[in-house]
Amino acid sequence: MTEALPLRSVGTFIELLIGAMLSPAGFVTEAYLVVTMRNHWTSYYKWLQEGRWSWLALSRQFVCLIMKVVKQDVIHLVIDDTLTLRASKKAPRSQIHHEHGNKPNLARYVRGQCWVSLAWVIKRRKQFGLLSRICG
């Protein structure tokens, strides 16, 4: 998957990926705290916010990896978006979203961040398992 990244970004990506896999929820802040990182927090923040790499190229490499590793007739790719509510306008990419849940205790429009996840699910012994995810 690192073929989709500039060479100087590979170490940063791997550190964040391993930290996200080891942390309970997989968030970047938790990833930073779980693994002993080489750089200061702002380096990772700037790489995620302003880095010159493509989520599309990374996703293509992810799918290529799946096709090489998993020897199954059917591989389910899952793309999901989740709205995380935020109170602060300063939260990265925080904006107003329509609340589709129609819950009586929530407004029709809420401030939040939209997180998109890409995962692959394979069938093993009649069970489906979530093996990986990429959030952005």
Side-chain angles (χ1 to χ4, degrees):
M1 290 194 1
T2 58
E3 295 171 12
L5 300 170
L7 191 55
R8 358 178 344 182
S9 296
V10 171
T12 303
F13 172 74
I14 291 172
E15 286 177 339
L16 287 173
L17 180 65
I18 291 172
M21 290 188 316
L22 293 175
S23 69
F27 295 117
V28 174
T29 307
E30 291 177 354
Y32 184 80
L33 296 172
V34 168
V35 177
T36 304
M37 300 289 196
R38 296 175 297 142
N39 300 315
H40 189 267
W41 163 251
T42 54
S43 301
Y44 299 96
Y45 175 80
K46 286 180 182 178
W47 182 77
L48 288 169
Q49 290 295 93
E50 303 165 9
R52 297 182 188 261
W53 52 279
S54 166
W55 276 105
L56 291 174
L58 193 60
S59 298
R60 280 189 212 102
Q61 287 294 319
F62 180 69
V63 172
C64 289
L65 174 68
I66 293 166
M67 301 303 282
K68 288 179 186 176
V69 172
V70 178
K71 306 295 183 204
Q72 300 253 338
D73 292 336
V74 178
I75 299 171
H76 300 277
L77 291 177
V78 180
I79 298 175
D80 182 46
D81 63 330
T82 302
L83 182 61
T84 304
L85 300 180
R86 296 289 183 229
S88 173
K89 292 181 180 180
K90 294 181 180 180
R93 301 191 197 266
S94 172
Q95 54 188 331
I96 301 298
H97 296 272
H98 181 262
E99 173 57 57
H100 296 281
N102 296 328
K103 294 181 180 178
N105 61 336
L106 289 179
R108 272 198 173 169
Y109 295 92
V110 294
R111 174 164 296 283
Q113 296 170 312
C114 184
W115 291 78
V116 179
S117 301
L118 171 64
W120 55 293
V121 181
I122 60 171
K123 188 174 181 179
R124 291 204 175 163
R125 297 186 190 123
K126 299 182 183 178
Q127 293 180 346
F128 287 90
L130 182 65
L131 299 177
S132 183
R133 71 177 174 196
I134 299 176
C135 297

